[in-house]
Amino acid sequence: MRHFGHIAPEVRQRLFHQEPCEFTTDSPARLLSAALGATLYSPATRPRLADDIVKQAGNGVVSMVLCLEDSIDDADVVHGEENLVRQFADLAGRQGVGLPLLFIRVRVPEQIPDLARRLGPAVRLLSGFVMPKFTEERGIPFLEALTTAGTESGRRLFAMPVLESPELLYQESRVEALEGIFRAVDKYRDRVLALRLGVTDFCSSYGLRRAPDMTAYDVQIVASVIADVVNMLGRADGTGFTVTGPVWEYFRVPERMFKPMLRHSPFLEGQAVELRERLIEHAMDGLLREVSLDQANGLLGKTCIHPSHVLPVHALSVVSHEEFSDAADILRPERGGGGVLRSAYTNKMNEVKPHRAWAERTMLRAEVFGVANEDVGFVELLAAGIPG
């Protein structure tokens, strides 16, 4: 699989200075954690789930979570498990079909080895499990169950803990909770692919819900949690983990209070005025704004609950030619001693030592999402990726 692999090769050649790399479920964890992109959630009870997965893979989705937790009724859990077993068997019987990375979101640790056994040979299609309301106390049993399932199945199964518990939100318990989470995921570091933020649960603790013309960063309580999670769990010194962005809940807005957050000029230059109007109508201007703030705050990838969110997240994840040029200059072998240099675009200072970690992360993102050609922006990437 590869990002933007659903568009024609000749179009990719026009768009990209460096095309996104190909990867598989067996690729290195560091690459896969960066490549998750827009992770699309789907209830595990969907009757045509196998068809849905194949369809979304054909539209550019590279990671999906099949949910047995909050997205389904408590009474439907057994049915959801049975449906997953049937749908995985269906997928395993299809020849030559490209599939995304598939994860199952469970409720309790016991479901992990149980489902891995019940999937049988089809477990080869599974990349791992998403673990809800993760803290040190509640999380260790999940990670132990994952280890058991991996050993029994012979599969490398990854964990994606969801950070969404009140202990993380409340100021008096946050640092202790984050320290405990770090101890848990550090102990199982080789099995933890990424940490996911459950901002909807954070908001629920205070009866809050952000509007479609506001981002998670406009809700100060939530923004403070994100900052502390990145501070303690997302460091670039080798101790950190990939932290993914929070879910965007909206996909159509009937009425708007504030001005749209998308500037006119990029769409005028790209002759894509209708695209801008469509994005605004479906609340995508808020999503694009939030993705930009995710990246500025050290997050990579995003939880998505609607297929229309996937392409905007991926388009904004592509490395610009300017970013790539700066990162390449900073990482030149002869720059190992440090120093300051003017960027090739002559519009900024690149300071080699302070900017090295940024450059390394940028190059990893460039590998999985590609580097846009010099005259290509996110508008062109959006327009090219929309199914005809």
Side-chain angles (χ1 to χ4, degrees):
M1 67 195 86
R2 72 193 304 174
H3 285 289
F4 296 93
H6 65 298
I7 65 177
E10 62 272 17
V11 177
R12 287 204 306 269
Q13 190 173 18
R14 174 174 57 82
L15 293 173
F16 289 98
H17 170 76
Q18 173 184 302
E19 290 194 26
C21 71
E22 293 185 344
F23 55 93
T24 71
T25 55
D26 297 320
S27 293
R30 182 170 180 268
L31 186 75
L32 291 181
S33 70
L36 288 167
T39 300
L40 183 63
Y41 275 54
S42 175
T45 51
R46 290 180 67 88
R48 299 181 61 85
L49 186 58
D51 292 335
D52 294 341
I53 290 169
V54 172
K55 177 183 177 181
Q56 296 307 329
N59 289 335
V61 172
V62 303
S63 64
M64 288 187 69
V65 172
L66 314 175
C67 185
L68 289 165
E69 208 227 357
D70 286 347
S71 69
I72 67 172
D73 191 276
D74 295 348
D76 290 333
V77 174
V78 172
H79 166 61
E81 292 177 344
E82 293 170 347
N83 189 56
L84 281 181
V85 173
R86 286 194 301 270
Q87 301 293 337
F88 267 79
D90 182 344
L91 290 171
R94 304 191 188 197
Q95 301 296 320
V97 174
L99 298 176
L101 302 170
L102 296 176
F103 301 85
I104 297 174
R105 182 173 178 173
V106 293
R107 293 184 172 215
V108 294
E110 294 75 21
Q111 287 177 296
I112 293 176
D114 179 59
L115 282 168
R117 294 183 199 112
R118 291 164 64 184
L119 289 176
V123 74
R124 63 182 173 81
L125 306 180
L126 184 65
S127 291
F129 291 88
V130 175
M131 302 167 177
K133 299 171 180 60
F134 193 94
T135 62
E136 181 179 26
E137 181 180 359
R138 290 192 294 270
I140 289 292
F142 279 104
L143 293 169
E144 290 173 343
L146 181 82
T147 301
T148 298
T151 301
E152 290 181 352
S153 66
R155 283 284 299 159
R156 180 184 66 165
L157 296 172
F158 287 114
M160 288 205 290
V162 184
L163 311 186
E164 55 187 347
S165 301
E167 296 97 318
L168 290 174
L169 189 61
Y170 301 150
Q171 190 171 31
E172 67 272 18
S173 57
R174 185 180 304 169
V175 171
E176 182 180 354
L178 286 170
E179 288 175 340
I181 290 170
F182 178 79
R183 285 192 295 269
V185 294
D186 187 50
K187 181 179 178 180
Y188 292 85
R189 179 174 291 273
D190 61 331
R191 296 186 181 276
V192 176
L193 190 62
L195 306 177
R196 311 199 71 88
L197 285 166
V199 164
T200 302
D201 279 49
F202 288 154
C203 289
S204 74
S205 295
Y206 287 89
L208 304 175
R209 186 174 191 178
R210 69 189 189 276
D213 42 15
M214 294 185 181
T215 72
Y217 301 91
D218 295 312
V219 183
Q220 291 301 300
I221 290 175
V222 171
S224 71
V225 180
I226 294 175
D228 287 343
V229 168
V230 174
N231 190 332
M232 297 184 67
L233 301 174
R235 299 178 185 180
D237 60 0
T239 66
F241 296 82
T242 294
V243 182
T244 66
V247 67
W248 181 255
E249 298 178 349
Y250 297 94
F251 40 89
R252 192 171 182 88
V253 180
E255 187 176 348
R256 171 181 298 276
M257 182 180 298
F258 299 111
K259 287 184 177 180
M261 291 179 271
L262 277 182
R263 291 185 300 113
H264 282 277
S265 53
F267 293 86
L268 295 174
E269 294 165 5
Q271 298 182 330
V273 175
E274 290 184 5
L275 174 59
R276 179 180 183 272
E277 293 174 353
R278 197 186 329 167
L279 291 170
I280 292 170
E281 179 186 0
H282 290 81
M284 296 301 177
D285 57 323
L287 170 63
L288 292 169
R289 169 73 172 161
E290 187 165 285
V291 173
S292 298
L293 289 169
D294 287 342
Q295 293 176 359
N297 284 278
L299 309 184
L300 182 59
K302 199 163 188 66
T303 294
C304 293
I305 46 83
H306 196 273
S308 63
H309 298 169
V310 172
L311 181 58
V313 173
H314 290 171
L316 281 178
S317 298
V318 173
V319 173
S320 70
H321 188 273
E322 181 175 345
E323 289 176 309
F324 179 75
S325 173
D326 289 338
D329 283 349
I330 290 165
L331 295 177
R332 285 181 188 173
E334 64 269 24
R335 300 289 183 187
V340 177
L341 58 150
R342 185 175 64 172
S343 72
Y345 277 69
T346 68
N347 60 358
K348 71 177 76 66
M349 172 195 75
N350 288 326
E351 195 168 353
V352 174
K353 288 184 177 179
H355 289 146
R356 177 169 290 276
W358 168 85
E360 290 170 347
R361 284 190 170 185
T362 299
M363 285 304 198
L364 179 59
R365 185 159 56 93
E367 185 175 359
V368 293
F369 289 102
V371 178
N373 269 322
E374 193 168 357
D375 59 345
V376 171
F378 80 93
V379 173
E380 290 83 4
L381 292 162
L382 275 173
I386 295 174

